[in-house]
Amino acid sequence: MAAKPIASPIPVAMYPTLSVFTLAIGLVTTAFFFIYEATSSRKNRSLGVELTTAAVASVFLGFGSLFLLLASGVYV
């Protein structure tokens, strides 16, 4: 019984597209976070909104960076 090669669940041709879209979503979310922090007063800020926005931006920027590395040939 021969071993099966490990294959990516996402086609390699989709890596550049995924990196652009996930990085764009992450940057827009980060911009929203900075605008929210700069325009709201200390009394009107919500910790839940801050944590949720930061977590979403972090996830999208992390996956965007991963797919950018994979698209450029750095297999991590």
Side-chain angles (χ1 to χ4, degrees):
M1 187 173 205
K4 290 179 166 181
I6 297 174
S8 173
I10 299 170
V12 176
M14 291 290 295
Y15 290 166
T17 306
L18 282 172
S19 70
V20 168
F21 283 128
T22 53
L23 284 172
I25 292 169
L27 289 174
V28 167
T29 310
T30 303
F32 172 75
F33 177 78
F34 283 127
I35 290 169
Y36 177 77
E37 290 294 320
T39 58
S40 62
S41 67
R42 237 179 233 279
K43 294 178 182 176
N44 293 337
R45 289 184 190 159
S46 170
L47 182 62
V49 172
E50 291 178 7
L51 290 176
T52 303
T53 306
V56 168
S58 176
V59 167
F60 277 108
L61 289 174
F63 277 109
S65 300
L66 172 70
F67 284 119
L68 184 63
L69 286 170
L70 292 175
S72 63
V74 180
Y75 295 105
V76 291

